[in-house]
Amino acid sequence: MSTAIIGAGVMGETLLSGLVRAGRRVDQLMVGEKRPERARELEERYGVAVVSNREAAAKADTVALVVKPQDMGDVLDEIAPQLRAGQLVVSLAAGITTDFIESRVPDGVAVVRVMPNTPALVDEGMAAISPGSHCDEAHLAEVESLMASTGKVLRIPEKQMDAVTAISGSGPAYIFFVVESMIEAGVHLGLPRATSTELVVQTLVGSAAMLRETGTHPVVLREQVTSPNGTTASALRELEIHRVRAAFLAAMEAARNRSRELAEGS
Ligand SMILES: NC(=O)C1=CN([C@@H]2O[C@H](COP(=O)(O)OP(=O)(O)OC[C@H]3O[C@@H](n4cnc5c(N)ncnc54)[C@H](O)[C@@H]3O)[C@@H](O)[C@H]2O)C=CC1
Ligand SMILES: O=C(O)[C@@H]1CCC=N1
């Protein structure tokens, strides 16, 4: 089964590198990319063929669209004449609905919407997938296997996609923001930057491993760290005073709303 990736920016390369690491034959992969210097970079790095979008659409069994939501209409108009029944189009773009894609491709082309995230680069990705209306179990299984090469995959109803985008699609950015803030705080407290960075990164990795390996609720894990009248309680009081919990809710509502706006083309 050949796979084409159209749009090889951050997420397109993440998908491509994951497929290569998972052992997909490079001669079964191809890339369509608008920027010539970026195309050359990927050819050199992976030995993958970079072809026109139309050639990619004509040749591949599965066509993964990884361009910005605002570019999706143009790309679909460009490749639609090359697509034929039986092919599978997979969109990784925020906001873009399967309805939008299905209205622009020939009948009989199956469509699956995916929301991945960047930890896929280290095979710890979280991808959610939703079928379009002409999609059967084999198509979903194909996309599941595509995304499972770089992490976990969850099947969800498409109406949950905007919320999923706000939580796991954008999620790594919130975590990196927290990490960056904690490292900076360590520097303010007098720690060398390298020491602060090592402390914060390992604390994050250790906490994530506890969540996954114990399956214990995060509230319980937080309570275990919070000694009566101790340091953690003092810190958590400040986070509540500064309404960090409310800020997270507002931030993720904003991301969900932005995903909805992208569906409307803005
Ligand atoms: N970066 C992330 O963490 C995530 C991104 N996504 C989705 O992935 C998509 C791409 O996002 P990024 O990789 O971050 O953006 P990006 O800007 O890094 O990559 C987009 C790529 O598409 C190329 N491109 C644009 N028009 C093209 C065309 N007509 N033909 C061929 N290539 C074309 C650009 O040159 C660029 O290399 C977006 O729809 C985004 O919503 C989804 C989940 C996470
Ligand atoms: O920021 C964005 O729009 C994309 C979608 C999810 C993560 N990055």
Side-chain angles (χ1 to χ4, degrees):
M1 294 285 275
S2 56
T3 302
I5 295 173
I6 296 184
V10 173
M11 192 39 75
E13 183 177 5
T14 299
L15 178 61
L16 174 65
S17 69
L19 292 175
V20 171
R21 278 196 305 283
R24 290 265 182 141
R25 280 172 44 189
V26 175
D27 63 3
Q28 293 295 300
L29 299 172
M30 61 198 108
V31 165
E33 168 53 48
K34 191 163 85 171
R35 291 176 292 147
E37 72 288 357
R38 176 67 173 162
R40 269 194 303 279
E41 201 172 85
L42 294 166
E43 269 173 336
E44 281 166 21
R45 198 169 292 159
Y46 301 98
V48 69
V50 179
V51 298
S52 70
N53 291 346
R54 287 191 176 180
E55 189 178 340
K59 286 189 175 163
D61 301 302
T62 300
V63 181
L65 302 176
V66 205
V67 295
K68 291 212 166 84
Q70 295 86 345
D71 294 326
M72 197 60 99
D74 287 348
V75 169
L76 286 167
D77 290 345
E78 184 187 358
I79 66 171
Q82 316 300 320
L83 293 171
R84 59 198 178 278
Q87 275 177 302
L88 172 61
V89 169
V90 184
S91 165
L92 282 73
I96 300 296
T97 62
T98 55
D99 270 358
F100 177 92
I101 299 170
E102 283 169 355
S103 68
R104 284 167 175 78
V105 298
D107 285 347
V109 172
V111 176
V112 175
R113 180 172 169 188
V114 176
M115 180 42 56
N117 68 12
T118 54
L121 206 53
V122 291
D123 297 335
E124 289 287 356
M126 181 69 246
I129 67 174
S130 303
S133 47
H134 315 298
C135 193
D136 61 25
E137 175 56 33
H139 296 124
L140 268 183
E142 167 63 17
V143 178
E144 223 159 30
S145 120
L146 197 70
M147 300 315 298
S149 62
T150 55
K152 286 195 175 183
V153 187
L154 203 60
R155 293 184 186 195
I156 59 157
E158 190 171 1
K159 64 179 187 322
Q160 294 178 1
M161 265 296 178
D162 295 313
V164 165
T165 302
I167 300 297
S168 58
S170 298
Y174 319 143
I175 304 296
F176 298 135
F177 184 82
V178 168
V179 166
E180 181 193 331
S181 307
M182 286 178 67
I183 291 170
E184 214 52 45
V187 172
H188 276 286
L189 299 182
L191 296 175
R193 185 169 294 278
T195 304
S196 186
T197 303
E198 190 170 353
L199 294 175
V200 174
V201 172
Q202 179 54 27
T203 300
L204 175 83
V205 171
S207 306
M210 275 181 90
L211 280 167
R212 182 150 73 183
E213 284 163 30
T214 67
T216 305
H217 195 283
V219 168
V220 174
L221 296 177
R222 178 171 59 70
E223 284 172 354
Q224 287 168 357
V225 186
T226 312
S227 309
N229 202 20
T231 60
T232 315
S234 297
L236 291 172
R237 185 183 57 199
E238 289 301 317
L239 292 176
E240 294 292 12
I241 288 170
H242 289 89
R243 299 175 54 80
V244 172
R245 192 188 296 269
F248 269 99
L249 175 56
M252 280 162 237
E253 267 176 353
R256 189 272 318 269
N257 294 346
R258 181 66 192 131
S259 180
R260 286 179 178 165
E261 282 172 12
L262 287 169
E264 282 145 26
S266 52

